[in-house]
Amino acid sequence: MGDGAMGTMLQTAGLEPGDAPERLNAENPEAVRSVHEAYLQAGSDVITTNTFGGNRRRLALHHAGDRVFEWNKAGAAVARRAAGAQDREVIIAGSVGPTGSLLQPVGDLHFDEAKNDFAEQCAALAEGGVDVILIETMSDLEEVRAAIEGARAVGDLPVFCTMTFDTHGRTMMGTSPEEAVQATVDFGVQAFGSNCGNGPGEMEEIAEKMIRACRGVPLIIQANAGVPRIEGDQVVYEAGPERMAEHARRCCDLGIRYIGGCCGTTPAHIRAMIEATKGSDGKGAEEG
Ligand SMILES: [Zn+2]
């Protein structure tokens, strides 16, 4: 079991709207650590670093393009410290999100430039002590390839990847779950799957498609707590802990090996998901 959302929890902990969440890794690590601890207390086996937007292009939007190494290393280190206080094994997944730019020929970002940015971020995450690189929320297979090659260029950590299928079951670039699995398995990831998107129901359909196409590669599903809506001045997600618990059970029965949450999920969601899947071996309903 993975963890849930980080960004929304940091906003409650005082992150300024519009600021780079990664800044807190260096300037307020205790706030980041307390989010990790909340998920560890809920029972997460994998915690994800607060480094999703930590590549040079994204940080440059916050005039912090020169902080990549410092903020990623600090993000890995604070997760490592939180995990170190546990008396059980915890895996630290180093979060790597998209550059935010479109690659050539659709956009102007050159493949090698993207690869170098990912390499820089992955080197810092490795230095801070992550166990695995988790490339997340990807829409473009070329950017996935750049991220995987970047990670491989600077170390030999396992590389996991999840893509987002939010446009009628396809990525923004039109890729289907089956195409995505096939391509990324060929790129050589250790686990593949989907995160974010439209919510648990749609994610279960994606999971079924991936299971049929995955050629034995372990699958990851980290869904949003449904689609957010605005109520007064608050953002409310439609899926509560009970709905996400039912979702986790379904994913487990399908044979998904690594289940967690994305936007809108909280430690309460994760706790319910763990409770609902206790005793399952994650190998699917048929085998037991
Ligand atoms: Zn999300």
Side-chain angles (χ1 to χ4, degrees):
M1 186 65 62
D3 55 6
M6 168 64 78
T8 39
M9 302 253 315
L10 286 176
Q11 269 154 23
T12 10
L15 172 68
E16 295 292 326
D19 197 6
E22 293 77 17
R23 179 187 301 279
L24 296 181
N25 296 338
E27 294 179 7
N28 189 1
E30 285 315 306
V32 179
R33 181 172 174 155
S34 68
V35 177
H36 288 316
E37 280 169 350
Y39 283 117
L40 288 168
Q41 274 161 23
S44 296
D45 304 302
V46 186
I47 56 172
T48 317
T49 57
N50 175 40
T51 55
F52 177 78
N55 64 72
R56 182 168 287 268
R57 283 209 155 213
R58 288 275 292 254
L59 291 185
L61 301 175
H62 302 280
H63 311 288
D66 58 346
R67 312 300 282 279
V68 174
F69 194 82
E70 180 194 352
W71 289 358
N72 280 280
K73 186 181 171 186
V78 69
R80 175 55 64 204
R81 280 199 301 279
Q86 302 290 309
D87 53 7
R88 60 195 172 92
E89 190 190 5
V90 174
I91 293 166
I92 312 293
S95 175
V96 172
T99 59
S101 303
L102 293 170
L103 267 77
Q104 293 176 351
V106 183
D108 64 354
L109 178 57
H110 192 275
F111 180 90
D112 288 336
E113 201 184 329
K115 178 182 159 181
N116 289 340
D117 283 359
F118 288 124
E120 178 185 32
Q121 183 182 12
C122 291
L125 289 169
E127 176 99 2
V130 303
D131 300 303
V132 44
I133 299 293
L134 176 61
I135 300 162
E136 303 185 278
T137 327
M138 287 286 174
S139 299
D140 176 8
L141 281 171
E142 267 303 273
E143 188 166 14
V144 166
R145 190 165 70 86
I148 294 169
E149 287 191 15
R152 294 267 183 256
V154 292
D156 53 6
L157 288 176
V159 178
F160 297 176
C161 174
T162 56
M163 294 183 78
T164 300
F165 303 88
D166 52 0
T167 313
H168 307 292
R170 288 179 177 256
T171 71
M172 190 181 74
M173 304 295 279
T175 305
S176 71
E178 293 92 336
E179 288 162 350
V181 172
Q182 279 154 14
T184 44
V185 170
D186 288 341
F187 296 156
V189 289
Q190 273 71 35
F192 182 72
S194 183
N195 76 302
C196 215
N198 294 335
E202 213 162 279
M203 195 60 111
E204 287 154 21
E205 291 172 29
I206 291 163
E208 280 182 45
K209 290 179 178 163
M210 286 190 171
I211 280 285
R212 287 195 294 267
C214 72
R215 290 183 273 160
V217 169
L219 292 184
I220 306 168
I221 293 289
Q222 308 212 71
N224 288 348
V227 176
R229 60 175 191 277
I230 308 289
E231 263 179 27
D233 59 354
Q234 289 211 317
V235 180
V236 179
Y237 286 84
E238 62 189 10
E242 260 174 50
R243 174 67 185 96
M244 289 303 284
E246 179 191 315
H247 164 72
R249 203 175 311 117
R250 282 185 196 159
C251 287
C252 226
D253 287 346
L254 281 171
I256 305 298
R257 301 279 294 278
Y258 171 177
I259 304 165
C262 199
C263 306
T265 55
T266 65
H269 289 86
I270 296 298
R271 196 181 293 276
M273 292 165 79
I274 291 171
E275 201 56 46
T277 53
K278 251 186 194 154
S280 170
D281 59 5
K283 286 192 186 133
E286 293 92 314
E287 292 127 284

